Amino acid sequence: MARANAAYYARRDPFADFTTAPEISQIFGEIIGAWAAVVWDGLGRPAPFLLAEAGPGRGTLMADARRLLARVAAGAHAAAQVHFIETSPRLRAEQAARVPEAAWHASIDTLPDGPLILVANEFLDALPIRQFRREGGQWFERHVQHAQFVEQPSAEPPGLPDAEAGLDGVLEVNEAAEAFVTALARRLVAQGGVALILDYGTPENPGDSLQAIRARRPAEPLLHAGEADLTALVDFGAVARAAARGGASTQGPVAQGAFLTRLGLFQRAERLARGRTAAEATALMAGARRLAEPLQMGGLFKAMAVTASSLPPLPGFAA
Ligand code: SAH
């Protein structure tokens, strides 16, 4: 999965295969910009600070967030130093076209020191999972051989909560996502800051959720290696445990629809729609609904915050 996705993101245009919230509506990035401004205020307005994004895709979210900050939060805009964590050279070039002032990193380890506000939208779902199956108390791990799944007996996967370790069935473990979150948590604790993770996922282990998307349709995961997007649902329970191992606290997960609605998604859409043509206004409202409605992206997608210390609820996380 790691090799297939590295080849995929390096060579193909992923946005021909799938679309993401910042590509659906400019309001998504604007709301995250506004969220970052409020969080920055709560952190005591550190200047400078790192405004970082993991897996920024086309750079659209950050461009929208930066534009919003420039307009309504000049202090945060001036203090923000933009850093991108991105491995694909192709997408780095697209990001540079929209956010030329950014600095690029291959991993979180090379971010410079300092207080950090980090966003990761649809990043963790692209990191490689391992799949395990338990039957009658015996664990098996699924491997890939000659483009087929083969199972081999294995030890119990490490770090499972008791409720998940004791049941027969398939489980997924995303060690890369957990390592990222633990490293993130450690640096938030050491240097201050807050992170916002948005992704499709479940509060507990999702079971067998590996999927491939190609040309906007589901594909067979083991066919088209490197030519289809391979993802798995994010296990937000595992994300919270990984953050705790790094000494950090978490808030959420809350449904993306609730998160965006609390932060004014529909008010902003109505505001933008004023003075536009009827067709433009309809498209703006449709985009907002697609992000928020439970049966579209508002329910399966969730938001989780990682914070250095336990804080009162952050914007969007209070009921
Ligand atoms: N956040 C963007 C793009 C999501 S697609 C959006 O919402 O539109 C996943 C992004 O993560 C792409 O930019 C991809 O190149 C990047 N990515 C995937 N695996 C990565 C890894 N191991 N390290 C850094 N970036 C990675």
Side-chain angles (χ1 to χ4, degrees):
M1 187 171 173
R3 281 163 57 202
N5 269 352
Y8 172 77
Y9 282 107
R11 287 204 294 260
R12 273 181 75 102
D13 171 16
F15 298 93
D17 295 315
F18 60 86
T19 194
T20 57
E23 303 300 329
I24 291 169
S25 174
Q26 70 180 73
I27 305 171
F28 188 78
E30 291 173 345
I31 284 183
I32 288 172
W35 186 91
V38 175
V39 166
W40 178 73
D41 225 55
L43 291 171
R45 305 170 73 91
F49 76 101
L50 289 83
L51 180 59
E53 185 176 355
R58 282 180 171 152
T60 307
L61 186 164
M62 186 61 81
D64 291 338
R66 295 278 288 155
R67 193 183 58 248
L68 187 287
L69 289 176
R71 218 173 54 231
V72 305
H77 184 262
Q81 297 178 338
V82 179
H83 291 269
F84 284 155
I85 299 167
E86 175 60 66
T87 40
S88 159
R90 208 170 173 283
L91 288 173
R92 281 187 180 197
E94 285 218 35
Q95 293 152 18
R98 290 181 183 80
V99 191
E101 69 274 27
W104 280 264
H105 304 266
S107 84
I108 192 171
D109 303 331
T110 55
L111 287 184
D113 288 349
L116 170 69
I117 297 178
L118 179 139
V119 180
N121 184 59
E122 289 207 42
F123 171 64
L124 297 183
D125 68 64
L127 301 182
I129 53 150
R130 295 168 72 182
Q131 276 194 345
F132 296 87
R133 193 173 63 83
R134 182 183 189 266
E135 189 182 309
Q138 169 64 50
W139 286 95
F140 301 87
E141 180 167 7
R142 288 186 171 158
H143 299 268
V144 179
Q145 203 171 51
H146 306 304
Q148 288 191 324
F149 286 117
V150 293
E151 287 189 345
Q152 278 169 13
S154 78
E156 178 180 318
L160 293 181
D162 290 347
E164 291 177 3
L167 294 177
D168 279 357
V170 176
L171 283 179
E172 291 175 348
V173 177
N174 194 331
E175 291 165 322
E178 292 180 25
F180 173 84
V181 172
T182 300
L184 171 64
R186 287 211 176 96
R187 76 157 280 157
L188 293 175
V189 170
Q191 300 175 52
V194 172
L196 178 64
I197 295 170
L198 295 134
D199 221 314
Y200 41 95
T202 46
E204 288 164 14
N205 202 290
D208 178 0
S209 77
L210 179 69
Q211 64 163 9
I213 298 283
R214 189 166 185 246
R216 303 186 184 272
R217 287 201 199 87
E220 279 298 316
L222 299 187
L223 300 177
H224 328 288
E227 292 175 358
D229 181 46
L230 287 178
T231 67
L233 293 178
V234 171
D235 175 350
F236 280 98
V239 169
R241 292 192 294 279
R245 285 198 292 279
S249 305
T250 50
Q251 295 185 15
V254 298
Q256 171 173 295
F259 179 77
L260 295 175
T261 303
R262 285 171 189 154
L263 294 173
L265 171 70
F266 289 102
Q267 289 88 330
R268 177 79 183 135
E270 275 163 22
R271 181 90 189 266
L272 281 173
R274 264 182 239 151
R276 304 281 187 101
T277 66
E280 284 168 348
T282 306
L284 272 164
M285 296 312 289
R289 278 200 302 275
R290 184 166 169 197
L291 297 183
E293 278 184 3
L295 293 179
Q296 301 204 49
M297 292 168 79
L300 183 59
F301 282 73
K302 303 193 171 55
M304 177 173 260
V306 184
T307 69
S309 53
S310 65
L311 297 175
L314 294 163
F317 288 91

